[in-house]
């Protein structure tokens, strides 16, 4: 039973309805995890204890058995800390903090790529000031090739390669803590 605090009159634990809502939220989270591919799952902070249950739920295709396995997965997920479940929700949420950071990083890389193509060596010098570990020759060559591809209406192979190179440089610096300016 829930019970009440005799002094304040407040309930001592969440109501059954609240417990049910929370359990259904965890079940919905489990459904989202089961719908993901292995590559997408690898990117998420899923605890190792849940991975076999997720894989087993994916394997089962019979409707009732799948629902039963999904309920078991949700039960296992409810045993995890709230921090882990919140991290999973945030990683899956398109409007979550992790998604916003990733989109901001992507925009920062795209802005640098456009600056390098438009301004050339001056932008490259600024990039190397901010990210001294970048390979000057490689970036200069990719910029030159991307401009040439654009002028000749060729497929944007170097344009994409420049993006990948810049992403490695900028996100690599952010991971090591070398990036002081996040306001670009």
């Amino acid at each position: 039973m829930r019970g009440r605090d005799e002094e304040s009159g407040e309930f001592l634990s969440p109501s059954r309805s609240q417990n049910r809502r929370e359990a259904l939220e965890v079940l919905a989270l489990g459904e989202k995890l089961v719908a993901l591919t292995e590559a997408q799952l690898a990117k998420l902070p899923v605890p190792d204890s849940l991975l076999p249950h997720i894989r087993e739920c994916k394997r089962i295709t019979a409707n009732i058995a799948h629902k039963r396995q999904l309920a078991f997965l949700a039960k296992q997920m409810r045993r995890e800390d709230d921090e882990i479940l919140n991290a999973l929700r945030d990683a899956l949420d398109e409007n979550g903090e992790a998604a916003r950071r990733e989109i901001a990083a992507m925009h920062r890389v795209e802005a640098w790529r456009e600056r390098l193509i438009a301004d050339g060596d001056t932008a490259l010098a600024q990039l190397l000031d901010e990210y001294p570990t970048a390979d000057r020759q490689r970036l200069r060559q990719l910029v030159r090739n991307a401009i040439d591809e654009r002028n000749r209406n060729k497929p944007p192979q170097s344009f994409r390669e420049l993006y990948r190179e810049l992403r490695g440089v900028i996100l690599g610096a952010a991971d090591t803590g070398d990036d002081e300016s996040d306001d670009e």
Side-chain angles (χ1 to χ4, degrees):
M1 291 240 37
R2 269 178 85 188
R4 285 185 184 234
D5 186 5
E6 293 179 15
E7 293 175 11
S8 66
E10 294 180 6
F11 289 108
L12 296 175
S13 63
S15 66
R16 284 190 342 200
S17 298
Q18 180 62 31
N19 288 338
R20 181 161 171 75
R21 280 190 296 271
E22 290 172 2
L24 288 174
E25 285 176 7
V26 173
L27 181 67
L29 179 62
E31 288 175 346
K32 288 180 183 179
L33 290 175
V34 169
L36 297 176
T37 64
E38 284 294 324
Q40 291 170 326
L41 270 177
K43 294 179 183 178
L44 296 178
V46 179
D48 291 336
S49 60
L50 293 179
L51 287 174
H53 302 296
I54 293 171
R55 289 187 184 111
E56 182 66 17
C57 195
K58 285 181 178 192
R59 187 186 66 77
I60 297 173
T61 57
N63 192 30
I64 298 299
H66 181 76
K67 280 186 174 180
R68 188 171 40 248
Q69 185 64 31
L70 191 58
F72 182 70
L73 170 65
K75 179 180 177 181
Q76 298 302 318
M77 290 173 66
R78 286 193 301 272
R79 292 182 177 171
E80 297 292 333
D81 292 335
D82 286 338
E83 299 167 357
I84 293 172
L85 295 179
N86 288 336
L88 284 171
R89 285 185 188 105
D90 186 44
L92 287 172
D93 186 17
E94 292 176 2
N95 298 322
E97 184 63 30
R100 279 195 292 274
R101 279 195 306 269
E102 188 173 324
I103 290 170
M106 181 182 70
H107 288 306
R108 194 166 45 247
V109 171
E110 287 174 349
W112 270 113
R113 178 175 62 183
E114 291 303 320
R115 281 178 61 189
L116 286 171
I117 290 174
D119 298 341
D121 286 336
T122 57
L124 184 60
Q126 291 172 351
L127 178 76
L128 291 171
D129 285 343
E130 283 191 43
Y131 306 99
T133 59
D135 184 3
R136 176 186 296 267
Q137 270 187 310
R138 174 91 172 121
L139 289 172
R140 184 177 282 151
Q141 177 187 11
L142 289 172
V143 168
R144 198 175 327 118
N145 291 346
I147 291 170
D148 188 46
E149 285 173 354
R150 189 179 275 181
N151 292 338
R152 292 181 176 196
N153 290 330
K154 287 188 153 199
Q157 181 179 353
S158 294
F159 188 73
R160 291 180 183 135
E161 183 64 30
L162 178 61
Y163 177 84
R164 284 190 289 270
E165 185 76 21
L166 285 171
R167 182 177 169 93
V169 167
I170 292 172
L171 296 183
D175 290 343
T176 59
D178 293 342
D179 186 21
E180 289 93 19
S181 68
D182 285 332
D183 56 315
E184 277 217 45

